[in-house]
Amino acid sequence: MKLLNQLTIGIATLVTAASCARYEPLDFQVQKPESIALQEDIDAYPALKSYINRAAHPNFKFGVAMSINDYLGQAVKYRLANKNFDEIVLDYAMKHGAVVQADGSLALENVKKMLESAKAAGMSVYGHTLAWHANQNAAYLKGLIAPLSVTAPGFANDLSLTGLQDASFTGWTRTNSGAGISVVAGQGMGAGTKALQLTASAASSTPDALQLVSPAIPVRAGRKYEIVAYIKSDKPGEGRISFEGLQNNTPKVDWMKKGTATETFTTGISWKEIRFQVSDFTGSSIKLKFDLGYKPGVTYYLDVNNLYVYDTQGTPLITNQVAGGDFESGSGWGGWGGASTRGITADGLGVNNKGKAFFVTNPTKAANYWDVQTTYSFAEPLKNNETYNLSFWVKGTAPGIIRPELQSANYSSNGFGQVSVTTDWQKVSLSTTATAADRSRLIFSYGEFAGTVYIDDVVLSSSKAAGGSTTVEKTAAEKDIILTEALEKWITGMVSATKGQVKAWDVVNEPMDDARPSELKTAAGRTSIAADEFFWQDYLGKDYAVKAFKAARQAGNPTDIHFINDYNLEYSLDKTRGLIEYVKYIESKGAKVDGIGTQMHISTTSDKDKIAEMFRLLAATGKLIKISELDLGVGVKTTEAKAEHYKAQADMYKYVIEKYFELVPAAQRYGITIWSPLDSPAGTGWRAGEPIGLWTEAFVRKQAYAAVAQALEKNTK
């Protein structure tokens, strides 16, 4: 205790003495580490776009690419984009694969939301991209040009075809032959098969100016009869089928299952299926009238072997793999899934309010379509490589989707595709081919449907048992017409919907081949094609770009700026020259190309001399030139990058921008777009794990940021 008191007194004396002494600051300084000082300097830079002299460069666009979700989310990336850039480019959301749906319609809701958000922020939007081989809804496009597969109905044909098959026209009446009605060999859908050839006169303008009337067809009151025909024409045509013996002999019909009933159908050089039902009979027979006199000089072809009128409630000519598919004596169906229930309805709830039906109730949509299913097991597995036809009637308590499949015990399957269910009974006819000998059951999946689905009269049969099938390949000319229409529909729809704010587009993207830089890319010779790849040029030839530019020009604003865009132009000068020659070709065909975009996904080791020469070649075209997708790797992953890598990256960013301003005349400078503003995270699909951006993944500015700012300031004075 005494020692502690002495220590306390000593400390107090020392403190008192110190408090009485005069304060003198120590001469001691700590220098900031160079890295911290450098970062503070970079962080002090204003926003990038502030370095652009707008008085000298009023039209120059400094752009950035990002995902639509990042922009609509209005979080850090959104604020970074609005603060530093003039223009946004969506990396995927405005492409064919993101917008075009399975039925060819365009899903543009999110794009329109993004446009509204960008407008509110004062950001312009650059359209990317209209005609490309990647990021396509390739399944839809391939479906348009897929062979037409025709399966004979599994019911007796009540329409006598004898007079057509022997060309005698017995029972058939050529009420008005126009310029001629005859049966011709080799013009039907199958090899060597016959077709009716009907040619309208040069003055033809009314439906009955070219008319062929069928023999009387016996019908039974209360039954539905299906009419099936396949027709094409040598040029765009128009027609209808009218009747004798109906309460309404000139009905409006949804002729080709497009969802809308019309007075007439249209025809073209491809075979089209006409399929509809009638039931409003006034007597015991009806006659069909093929009225094709609407347009002058058109020659029509009706396939003879696939012209049908049959009783949909008649006795099938086929062996149904689903015993008791009418559900009148039970079901034989099992099922599972969540809180769903299933069973047989009461009598009178089947199709046409007759008999029974099978029902499945799924209270809410499931996470996966297969989470709610019903299954029917066959007596024996189906045959491998055989095509099977599935037909059934279906309706629901609300619109929705179900999916039927042929399945094996190990869950491998052959699907029939999605079936859209409405609140009215409708008959569905589908087909698929069993690709293994173990398909032992029929599965229906209801996970995407919320409510109750009713099915009735389920028939699954081999196409062979149903009288065979016909497969018709589309010709090159047909594919050209079909895909031209699809390309123009897509471009017109997209450009028209966005032209209020989108004033510039990548109309054609990456057309030139890498190995043959003076030629177009092609799928020919490739061992694998990605699921989203579709090469328009393989079907439309070099003019695919001509059609794309013309469609964009027609649909957009008169002053819109249209670019052609490609990559590796700084790597392969021959590719640059090939692209320039292709632009000349496009314009020789009457289309206008306003500018050329060079993507420039480069690295610190890219050849600077080639970069400069690329700019010279592009500038010599007199076109607007855009650096469209600039990002810059350092040769290593982010985890391995060091100070010298980042210094080299900054230097190369600066070099590219300076050379662009030096070698591209001011009147030709559209602008520069930074493709990846942030370093790319590991595991992403684009330059994964590379430090390619102006910011780190944590939104910290890099030396590249300062270099870009300096280059913009220096070169826009």
Side-chain angles (χ1 to χ4, degrees):
M1 178 65 72
K2 184 177 179 180
L3 180 61
L4 178 59
N5 289 336
Q6 290 177 344
L7 181 61
T8 302
I9 293 170
I11 294 173
T13 302
L14 182 61
V15 170
T16 301
S19 66
C20 295
R22 181 178 178 183
Y23 171 72
E24 294 184 5
L26 296 174
D27 186 16
F28 180 74
Q29 296 180 359
V30 177
Q31 187 173 2
K32 291 180 183 178
E34 183 180 354
S35 60
I36 294 178
L38 178 61
Q39 189 62 53
E40 288 179 348
D41 183 50
I42 296 171
D43 291 343
Y45 275 69
L48 289 174
K49 66 182 180 181
S50 69
Y51 287 93
I52 301 169
N53 183 338
R54 296 299 178 185
H57 301 271
N59 299 318
F60 183 85
K61 300 288 188 182
F62 189 51
V64 65
M66 65 172 52
S67 74
I68 193 169
N69 290 334
D70 281 337
Y71 198 76
L72 288 178
Q74 297 195 354
V76 180
K77 280 190 177 181
Y78 167 83
R79 296 193 294 273
L80 179 148
N82 292 341
K83 182 178 180 180
N84 289 277
F85 300 92
D86 306 315
E87 187 169 74
I88 183 172
V89 182
L90 295 183
D91 55 8
Y92 177 69
M94 294 178 76
K95 293 175 182 174
H96 189 278
V99 174
V100 178
Q101 304 301 291
D103 62 355
S105 62
L106 307 186
L108 289 166
E109 293 79 8
N110 280 345
V111 171
K112 291 178 179 179
K113 289 179 183 177
M114 184 277 302
L115 292 178
E116 292 173 2
S117 182
K119 184 177 181 180
M123 288 278 278
S124 65
V125 177
Y126 184 89
H128 178 78
T129 179
L130 295 175
W132 194 22
H133 69 280
N135 290 164
Q136 307 294 287
N137 186 338
Y140 164 71
L141 295 172
K142 291 175 182 176
L144 292 177
I145 57 174
L148 176 64
S149 181
V150 177
T151 301
F155 298 87
N157 193 356
D158 295 309
L159 172 63
S160 174
L161 298 177
T162 303
L164 301 182
Q165 291 167 339
D166 63 11
S168 68
F169 284 91
T170 300
W172 292 77
T173 304
R174 287 172 276 195
T175 307
N176 195 331
S177 296
I181 298 177
S182 61
V183 175
V184 292
Q187 295 296 317
M189 292 196 297
T193 59
K194 298 176 181 178
L196 268 167
Q197 179 176 289
L198 307 95
T199 302
S201 68
S204 188
S205 62
T206 60
D208 58 0
L210 177 61
Q211 186 182 72
L212 177 68
V213 182
S214 76
I217 303 163
V219 294
R220 297 173 61 184
R223 299 291 187 94
K224 289 186 176 182
Y225 283 73
E226 187 150 282
I227 290 90
V228 183
Y230 294 87
I231 189 170
K232 70 175 183 177
S233 57
D234 64 342
K235 62 184 72 173
E238 184 178 6
R240 74 179 182 191
I241 298 176
S242 60
F243 294 86
E244 289 182 17
L246 298 185
Q247 294 178 27
N248 179 10
N249 283 321
T250 56
K252 285 188 175 182
V253 173
D254 184 7
W255 306 95
M256 296 169 184
K257 304 299 182 187
K258 293 184 176 180
T260 304
T262 57
E263 293 180 355
T264 63
F265 53 79
T266 59
T267 62
I269 66 169
S270 294
W271 288 104
K272 290 185 176 181
E273 179 187 76
I274 295 172
R275 184 185 290 267
F276 62 98
Q277 295 179 359
V278 293
S279 59
D280 58 330
F281 310 122
T282 59
S284 59
S285 68
I286 60 171
K287 289 184 178 181
L288 275 59
K289 297 180 178 180
F290 294 90
D291 298 329
L292 300 170
Y294 286 90
K295 293 187 176 183
V298 181
T299 296
Y300 300 88
Y301 298 90
L302 276 163
D303 186 70
V304 169
N305 289 346
N306 290 287
L307 183 58
Y308 304 98
V309 179
Y310 65 92
D311 182 354
T312 63
Q313 295 156 274
T315 302
L317 299 176
I318 60 175
T319 301
N320 190 359
Q321 300 290 329
V322 181
D326 58 3
F327 303 106
E328 299 308 308
S329 57
S331 75
W333 292 67
W336 52 79
S340 64
T341 56
R342 60 203 48 77
I344 304 296
T345 68
D347 196 35
L349 296 181
V351 62
N352 297 322
N353 299 318
K354 295 181 180 180
K356 302 172 184 178
F358 185 74
F359 75 89
V360 174
T361 299
N362 182 31
T364 59
K365 289 185 179 181
N368 305 297
Y369 71 85
W370 60 81
D371 288 343
V372 178
Q373 293 183 314
T374 57
T375 176
Y376 178 88
S377 297
F378 306 133
E380 58 184 28
L382 303 180
K383 294 181 180 179
N384 188 23
N385 292 325
E386 193 153 310
T387 298
Y388 288 85
N389 303 320
L390 174 66
S391 67
F392 57 94
W393 289 85
V394 62
K395 77 169 184 176
T397 54
I401 291 172
I402 62 174
R403 303 183 189 226
E405 300 173 80
L406 302 179
Q407 195 182 73
S408 63
N410 65 4
Y411 306 111
S412 60
S413 65
N414 299 112
F416 289 93
Q418 297 181 3
V419 174
S420 296
V421 178
T422 68
T423 54
D424 295 320
W425 282 109
Q426 61 176 334
K427 188 173 183 180
V428 177
S429 297
L430 308 163
S431 64
T432 192
T433 301
T435 58
D438 61 357
R439 304 301 189 243
S440 58
R441 59 193 180 195
L442 176 63
I443 291 278
F444 278 76
S445 296
Y446 301 86
E448 296 162 286
F449 191 97
T452 300
V453 179
Y454 302 88
I455 60 173
D456 200 1
D457 291 346
V458 180
V459 178
L460 178 72
S461 63
S462 167
S463 62
K464 294 180 180 179
S469 61
T470 302
T471 300
V472 186
E473 295 283 350
K474 290 182 173 60
T475 65
E478 288 178 79
K479 292 176 182 179
D480 186 298
I481 291 174
I482 292 168
L483 291 175
T484 295
E485 181 180 342
L487 180 65
E488 292 174 347
K489 177 184 176 182
W490 145 244
I491 291 176
T492 299
M494 171 58 87
V495 173
S496 298
T498 60
K499 69 179 183 180
Q501 192 170 350
V502 181
K503 311 297 184 182
W505 278 97
D506 279 334
V507 177
V508 173
N509 195 44
E510 301 179 4
M512 309 313 294
D513 189 77
D514 292 309
R516 299 175 297 277
S518 63
E519 300 178 17
L520 299 183
K521 275 190 176 71
T522 177
R526 291 180 52 173
T527 57
S528 63
I529 302 295
D532 68 347
E533 287 187 311
F534 185 87
F535 291 77
W536 297 93
Q537 54 266 48
D538 283 351
Y539 304 95
L540 306 181
K542 291 179 71 174
D543 283 359
Y544 91 100
V546 177
K547 294 174 180 179
F549 275 100
K550 287 183 176 180
R553 188 72 60 191
Q554 181 70 28
N557 306 291
T559 56
D560 283 353
I561 301 172
H562 292 162
F563 281 84
I564 193 168
N565 184 50
D566 218 326
Y567 65 94
N568 275 359
L569 301 184
E570 76 291 326
Y571 172 78
S572 170
L573 296 177
D574 282 341
K575 190 173 186 181
T576 304
R577 296 183 183 97
L579 182 63
I580 291 170
E581 289 302 312
Y582 189 42
V583 169
K584 293 178 182 177
Y585 174 84
I586 294 168
E587 295 199 317
S588 74
K589 294 292 185 175
K592 181 184 178 184
V593 180
D594 299 306
I596 301 175
T598 174
Q599 294 184 15
M600 300 199 72
H601 301 294
I602 60 175
S603 72
T604 54
T605 57
S606 294
D607 190 322
K608 290 183 176 181
D609 290 339
K610 284 187 175 181
I611 290 173
E613 183 61 19
M614 174 198 68
F615 283 135
R616 292 189 187 97
L617 290 170
L618 294 178
T621 66
K623 302 292 184 185
L624 288 171
I625 305 302
K626 180 188 184 203
I627 299 178
S628 57
E629 302 181 16
L630 180 61
D631 56 25
L632 213 159
V634 300
V636 297
K637 299 292 186 180
T638 304
T639 53
E640 303 167 11
K642 302 185 184 305
E644 57 266 27
H645 292 112
Y646 292 118
K647 175 63 167 59
Q649 181 184 52
D651 290 343
M652 182 61 89
Y653 265 116
K654 189 174 183 180
Y655 175 83
V656 169
I657 294 173
E658 289 181 342
K659 284 299 173 183
Y660 173 76
F661 279 92
E662 174 190 340
L663 299 173
V664 177
Q668 293 177 246
R669 300 177 200 141
Y670 175 88
I672 298 170
T673 292
I674 303 299
W675 191 249
S676 186
L678 272 59
D679 290 345
S680 187
T684 59
W686 179 250
R687 303 188 79 163
E690 291 190 49
I692 56 178
L694 308 185
W695 287 262
T696 70
E697 292 180 57
F699 299 95
V700 176
R701 294 176 178 180
K702 297 162 56 180
Q703 292 182 57
Y705 182 100
V708 170
Q710 293 163 12
L712 291 174
E713 181 179 39
K714 175 183 176 182
N715 291 281
T716 63
K717 290 180 180 179

